[in-house]
Every structure is written in structure tokens, then in C-alpha cells.
Amino acid sequence: MLEGGQPEKPAILVISAAASATEIEVLAGIEEEGVPYVLERTTGDGSAVELARRAAERSSLEVGVGADRTGRVAIMHAKLPESVAGLFSETSATAAVARVAGHNAARIVVGIPLRSAPR
């Protein structure tokens, strides 16, 4: 709840450990799908999966994205265990992979098929 008893705006929470091209691409992908997001920067050294889990637990839409200092990206849903809910890059995400991650986070919310990551 916001001040004055107003409910929070539904949004995907993105927690990023570093302002980077990866972060910009993830946000662009979410925006292109028309789903609102909130960006929070952290100074912690958590993994992308840890950041995504924390974001999903706090997101009003129960979907969170984490981007760590190494450029990895992860997407989580609060109601699913990591073994089922986690979509993530094994290595630093390229610009194209990061943008698709943003698209897929938004598509989880909307309930439409996910896009394949470019190879």
C-alpha cells in the first residue's frame, strides 16, 4: 500500500545490481509488451536468480527479474519453485537475450507464449 491507503500500481519488479546495457534491454523488452515495471538498483552482490526471487516475492504481479553484476539475467514467479519458475541466462546476456528476457517476463504476466532466446 502506498501512503494514503492507495494500492500499489501492478508492475513487474526488476532488481539490478548494475546500470548496464543488459538492464536497458530487459526494461525495453518489458515496455514493448506494454506491462509496467519498477526498477530498483541494489548494491548487493547476489546472483541474478537470488535477485529475481526477491523481486518476484515483492512484485504486485508476482513476477520479478534480477540482473547481477556479471550481466546474467533471471526471471522468477513468486508462486513457483526455482526449479520450475526460473528462466535465466547461464552467462552474461547479450543485448538480444536480455531483451527477450524482458519480453518473457511481461508475457508471463499477460499469459501468452514465451519467445525463444536467440542463439
Side-chain angles (χ1 to χ4, degrees), residues 26-102:
V26 167
L27 299 178
I30 295 170
E31 191 173 295
E32 287 169 358
E33 295 289 340
V35 176
Y37 64 85
V38 173
L39 173 63
E40 179 180 299
R41 292 219 175 87
T42 183
T43 56
D45 287 329
S47 72
V49 172
E50 293 166 346
L51 296 173
R53 172 59 61 199
R54 197 170 26 168
E57 290 170 354
R58 293 182 36 217
S59 168
S60 56
L61 294 175
E62 299 183 319
V63 174
V65 179
D68 66 18
R69 291 187 189 282
T70 67
R72 287 189 212 122
V73 177
I75 305 164
M76 293 286 177
H77 190 286
K79 299 237 171 152
L80 297 174
E82 285 179 22
S83 60
V84 176
L87 298 171
F88 52 90
S89 62
E90 297 290 332
T91 59
S92 290
T94 65
V97 168
R99 189 169 290 234
V100 168

